[in-house]
Amino acid sequence: MIQCWRLDDARQTLVLGVRDNHLAEAIYWGPRLPDDENLETLYGAHEIDVTGGMLDVNPELSICPEATRTFPGQPGMVVRDEMGKSVLPTFSFDGVEQSETALTLNFADAENGLTYRAHFAIDPQTHLITLWAELEGTRALNLHWLSAPVLPAPQLSDEMIDFAGRWCGEFQINRTPWSAGIRTRENRTGRTGHEHFPGLIVPCRGATNTQGEAYGFHYGWSGGHKMVAEELPDGRRQIQFGNATQVEDEARTLFKTAPLYVTYSNSGLNGCAVAFQRHVRDRLITWPHPERPRPVHYNCWEAIYFDHNLPELKEIATIAAGLGAERFVLDDGWFGERDDDTSSLADWEVDPRKYPDGLTPLIDHVRGLGMVFGIWFEPEMINPDSNIYRAHPEWALGREEQILGRNQLVLNMALPEVRDFLFERIGKILADHDIDYVKWDHNRVLPTPDADQTRGTYALLNRLRTAFPDVEIESCASGGGRTDFGILEHTQRVWLSDSNDALERLKIQHNAALFLPQCVTGSHVGPRVCHTSGRVLDIRFRAWVAAQRHMGFEMDPRELTDEEADVLRRVTAWWKANRDWMYHADILRLDAADPAVVAEQHLHEDQFVVFAGKADTSDQISPRPLRFTGLDPDAMYRVDLVNRDEIARVALSRGRSMLKTGAMEVSGRYLMHHGVTLPWSFPETMWVIEGHKI
């Protein structure tokens, strides 16, 4: 007996089928099928042949492959009883719940007292499918591994794209060829991690940023994950995502995976990117002030570090406001006796040495300049040299002799008394002051993986957001160490990297755009001499790179020359004039013919802006045309160079490129199939091109 179900949006169809009451299989996932497609026929067509040296029947590549079905690859779950004995379930179909956009399939193993539920929901507007699994038992079990519902990977794919990185070098792309066996990525640090972002793109052969087929995956969990991309001996391929293995410390009767977000694209990697971006922006994020434009951000960290001085801070705030800043964020060093990173974490009380009259004089000054005020916390951490640790050493997670990270330990967020304490201390600061924004940092990995730590952090964030609904929260973890969709259900901004080096940022932002929209991605204009790389970059390049995302400044503004200040004011004014439509824009990565160029197009309805950054010296002497994407081929567009004034600085640009002197009007087809030839430029510069449909 065969039963089948389908989920559709305008772009894709997912078909699931059950034969003989076994676990369901995903028998089709790809372009939208006709409404009258016979799904049972598809199930039959899905079967593959057998030959010598094989079993007589191919074991199902089901949504949770079972070891008891002689499955030759990674099973979808690994569980043991409380005595440590393996439990090997064999599930049978036990019912279905279906609506137009959602499907839940239920399966039972009566012998072992287990129920498995697989959930699927499709969003017709964002084109994301959300999957998650539950395992429930009549007795407590120890969980080693539970995958979200498993999907097949395409056969006509030569490689997979996943993401590695490091501090100040996040979102580095790995391209790994498919081959027999398993590629496993596991993050056991207890946070999303710079090193293992929980995302995967599987391009089909010939796919680029702008064309071809691709499949996207993202696991929305902040506590460490495992990814399995496996090619079986028979050639079939499976993708599994779940929490990192062995992160449940206690036996339980119910386990759930985090959501796995997936999408099919017929417009290259950008189709996946747009689906992820829109889902984050329009479904996951809840804004305290949705009607308010995203404010230009100023953070004082790289201006003062721990050296807090009220007159200097007021002076800096005044200059920042004059440059266009609309939010002032007081970073680390305002509490306890925090003169460096060795003490006072968890002592969340204002330092009377630095602020004898409290924070109110600074906040009043900031608000008098027309800015809102934000403040830094690192709630999940504690210094051994702190009053709270001396009072409650038992609140620290892990063994006493563990390695410190940034001179700190981790608070055990699974303890209700820890969460109550943090809510009281943080809540008092927020209740007693006019605070609009919290930068929530996380500067060390966990001493041991623990899913309860993440659940406890989520619970505290939910409690604070309920009590203080007008406060926006940024997720920072030494930069981009926690940037997943799980944390973005509880926050509204991510600090993508601690590097304010615009050249590094150009690349990090470009790759992160495969998942993250403009409005949540903080990007700051850093100091003339970058504090993390030592690189010296022109203010124009630094400003335009920051203008690609949620713009801010993070330097001592007193270092700016009059010319630099004027440039920064003008770029900031441009960003403010365009931020409303850019909030809604899709970030589309462009396929640049010149590998030295890192280019992207922000497109919303009939207008766009292209940022073409020159990351290196070109191999050829003249610029190659840059193709745009996503336009109406039969429409005419007016295209103009935003930063034409910068041409005067490029003495080696001596030709008669039309954009050097004025706008041009060309068709969308020309822009997409020939492209725009930009003026010559030096490395570490950027051209910014605006376009409007006529």
Side-chain angles (χ1 to χ4, degrees):
M1 183 180 71
I2 295 174
Q3 298 182 72
C4 294
W5 305 269
R6 62 185 287 172
L7 291 170
D8 302 277
D9 61 29
R11 189 167 78 186
Q12 65 189 329
T13 295
L14 173 66
V15 180
L16 296 147
V18 168
R19 183 197 290 273
D20 298 331
N21 288 328
H22 289 190
L23 276 172
E25 299 176 78
I27 61 171
Y28 177 85
W29 179 28
R32 170 70 186 254
L33 293 173
D35 291 343
D36 59 354
E37 188 83 55
N38 188 306
L39 302 186
E40 292 188 14
T41 299
L42 296 188
Y43 201 115
H46 174 73
E47 294 288 335
I48 59 174
D49 202 0
V50 295
T51 185
M54 296 176 65
L55 296 171
D56 296 337
V57 176
N58 287 292
E60 300 102 329
L61 200 174
S62 74
I63 56 175
C64 187
E66 298 160 293
T68 52
R69 303 283 187 193
T70 327
F71 183 72
Q74 166 74 38
M77 70 172 65
V78 179
V79 292
R80 295 180 174 86
D81 63 20
E82 289 194 273
M83 302 302 293
K85 181 180 178 181
S86 292
V87 178
L88 298 172
T90 302
F91 288 104
S92 296
F93 181 63
D94 194 38
V96 59
E97 302 158 41
Q98 187 173 21
S99 67
E100 187 176 350
T101 59
L103 176 71
T104 297
L105 299 176
N106 301 303
F107 300 87
D109 177 352
E111 181 179 343
N112 288 299
L114 295 176
T115 299
Y116 173 80
R117 291 181 287 272
H119 303 272
F120 306 82
I122 194 165
D123 190 308
Q125 281 74 48
T126 67
H127 303 299
L128 273 198
I129 305 173
T130 305
L131 305 79
W132 71 102
E134 297 177 81
L135 177 65
E136 188 169 8
T138 56
R139 54 178 171 151
L141 297 170
N142 291 298
L143 180 68
H144 177 84
W145 168 245
L146 177 63
S147 174
V150 177
L151 293 175
Q155 298 286 299
L156 195 64
S157 172
D158 298 320
E159 64 179 5
M160 65 191 84
I161 299 171
D162 58 21
F163 303 85
R166 56 171 174 79
W167 178 70
C168 289
E170 293 85 344
F171 282 96
Q172 298 178 23
I173 281 181
N174 297 315
R175 294 181 179 266
T176 305
W178 282 100
S179 61
I182 289 179
R183 174 166 173 77
T184 300
R185 296 287 306 268
E186 185 163 21
N187 171 15
R188 301 189 59 77
T189 65
R191 65 182 186 185
T192 312
H194 304 79
E195 307 84 0
H196 300 285
F197 179 76
L200 176 71
I201 307 288
V202 182
C204 293
R205 189 172 298 160
T208 69
N209 285 319
T210 61
Q211 60 188 3
E213 294 182 297
Y215 293 80
F217 302 78
H218 175 78
Y219 190 64
W221 173 247
S222 307
H225 75 285
K226 179 179 178 180
M227 179 199 83
V228 173
E230 181 176 23
E231 183 172 300
L232 302 173
D234 56 38
R236 292 178 295 175
R237 295 165 172 173
Q238 65 162 331
I239 304 294
Q240 296 189 12
F241 273 94
N243 293 2
T245 54
Q246 293 182 302
V247 295
E248 302 289 354
D249 290 341
E250 298 179 358
R252 303 174 189 264
T253 58
L254 178 64
F255 299 98
K256 297 181 181 181
T257 70
L260 174 62
Y261 301 96
V262 305
T263 190
Y264 161 79
S265 164
N266 58 3
S267 54
L269 274 60
N270 283 338
C272 297
V274 168
F276 288 130
Q277 291 169 26
R278 291 182 180 181
H279 201 82
V280 169
R281 184 191 67 216
D282 300 337
R283 298 292 185 267
L284 296 186
I285 296 292
T286 51
W287 301 104
H289 304 283
E291 75 290 346
R292 186 174 74 179
R294 303 293 285 137
V296 176
H297 204 88
Y298 175 77
N299 184 290
C300 70
W301 176 242
E302 293 194 15
I304 62 165
Y305 293 103
F306 296 102
D307 187 17
H308 288 224
N309 175 286
L310 185 57
E312 286 195 2
L313 283 167
K314 287 183 175 180
E315 179 187 9
I316 288 169
T318 300
I319 299 172
L323 294 168
E326 298 163 308
R327 172 188 285 152
F328 181 96
V329 179
L330 186 67
D331 213 288
D332 193 357
W334 57 267
F335 56 92
E337 295 184 355
R338 181 80 162 172
D339 296 328
D340 54 34
D341 65 7
T342 65
S343 76
S344 301
L345 280 180
D347 293 342
W348 299 113
E349 296 176 323
V350 178
D351 185 348
R353 302 170 307 153
K354 299 176 182 177
Y355 299 96
D357 298 314
L359 296 175
T360 299
L362 177 59
I363 295 173
D364 287 348
H365 179 77
V366 165
R367 294 192 67 82
L369 294 167
M371 296 190 289
V372 293
F373 186 83
I375 197 165
W376 180 94
F377 286 96
E378 193 171 1
E380 297 148 271
M381 303 295 157
I382 187 169
N383 285 124
D385 182 12
S386 66
N387 294 331
I388 299 304
Y389 183 80
R390 285 183 281 272
H392 293 286
E394 73 280 6
W395 285 1
L397 184 68
R399 302 176 62 163
E400 186 176 350
E401 67 275 16
Q402 67 183 272
I403 297 172
L404 298 182
R406 205 189 183 218
N407 301 295
Q408 63 200 47
L409 300 164
V410 180
L411 281 170
N412 188 345
M413 299 296 290
L415 298 177
E417 57 268 32
V418 168
R419 298 197 301 272
D420 288 344
F421 163 77
L422 290 170
F423 178 81
E424 184 273 327
R425 284 289 176 95
I426 297 171
K428 180 171 175 52
I429 295 294
L430 297 181
D432 290 351
H433 302 90
D434 196 347
I435 291 174
D436 175 85
Y437 182 90
V438 166
K439 179 180 177 181
W440 185 295
D441 215 338
H442 185 296
N443 278 308
R444 68 152 291 173
V445 300
L446 271 58
T448 180
D450 184 352
D452 281 339
Q453 183 74 10
T454 303
R455 287 190 281 261
T457 298
Y458 287 171
L460 177 60
L461 282 163
N462 283 340
R463 189 176 174 188
L464 284 165
R465 289 192 60 195
T466 299
F468 303 97
D470 292 333
V471 175
E472 181 177 327
I473 301 176
E474 174 187 79
S475 171
C476 175
S478 298
R482 187 159 62 181
T483 55
D484 60 277
F485 291 8
I487 201 67
L488 281 168
E489 287 194 77
H490 304 87
T491 60
Q492 293 91 5
R493 191 182 198 250
V494 293
W495 183 230
L496 200 55
S497 178
D498 276 346
S499 175
N500 280 321
D501 181 319
L503 185 59
E504 297 295 333
R505 274 273 173 170
L506 178 72
K507 302 169 187 174
I508 294 168
Q509 292 173 179
H510 189 64
N511 292 339
L514 287 168
F515 298 93
L516 299 176
Q518 180 259 12
C519 56
V520 306
T521 307
S523 186
H524 297 171
V525 183
R528 187 182 303 116
V529 179
C530 179
H531 292 186
T532 57
S533 70
R535 190 178 277 123
V536 178
L537 293 167
D538 185 81
I539 186 64
R540 294 160 182 80
F541 186 55
R542 285 182 278 148
W544 284 119
V545 169
Q548 290 181 279
R549 298 297 185 268
H550 181 202
M551 188 177 188
F553 323 141
E554 187 168 347
M555 91 287 269
D556 189 337
R558 295 171 296 184
E559 78 168 23
L560 296 171
T561 65
D562 289 344
E563 181 192 18
E564 288 173 327
D566 182 61
V567 169
L568 187 50
R569 272 191 292 269
R570 285 189 285 114
V571 175
T572 302
W574 177 91
W575 190 85
K576 288 181 177 180
N578 289 275
R579 61 182 163 188
D580 288 345
W581 75 263
M582 286 177 64
Y583 171 95
H584 298 283
D586 301 323
I587 304 173
L588 306 173
R589 290 158 43 107
L590 297 179
D591 295 320
D594 183 351
V597 174
V598 178
E600 62 186 36
Q601 176 181 336
H602 295 216
L603 173 65
H604 178 60
E605 296 179 347
D606 294 339
Q607 66 185 121
F608 64 85
V609 60
V610 169
F611 297 93
K614 191 78 169 289
D616 204 347
T617 303
S618 298
D619 292 335
Q620 77 285 347
I621 196 167
S622 297
R624 292 174 173 161
L626 178 64
R627 289 184 173 190
F628 298 173
T629 191
L631 305 178
D632 180 346
D634 297 319
M636 297 297 291
Y637 289 84
R638 180 179 174 84
V639 178
D640 203 1
L641 194 62
V642 174
N643 54 339
R644 185 174 293 110
D645 60 294
E646 296 178 24
I647 290 174
R649 298 173 50 83
V650 188
L652 294 179
S653 175
R654 300 184 294 136
R656 294 180 292 180
S657 170
M658 181 177 289
L659 284 178
K660 292 173 69 172
T661 57
M664 63 183 187
E665 296 181 359
V666 292
S667 68
R669 183 170 280 108
Y670 177 87
L671 292 171
M672 292 190 291
H673 292 277
H674 179 274
V676 172
T677 302
L678 296 169
W680 191 91
S681 60
F682 290 118
E684 300 168 3
T685 59
M686 180 182 289
W687 293 125
V688 183
I689 308 100
E690 286 182 328
H692 298 80
K693 184 187 284 189
I694 301 172

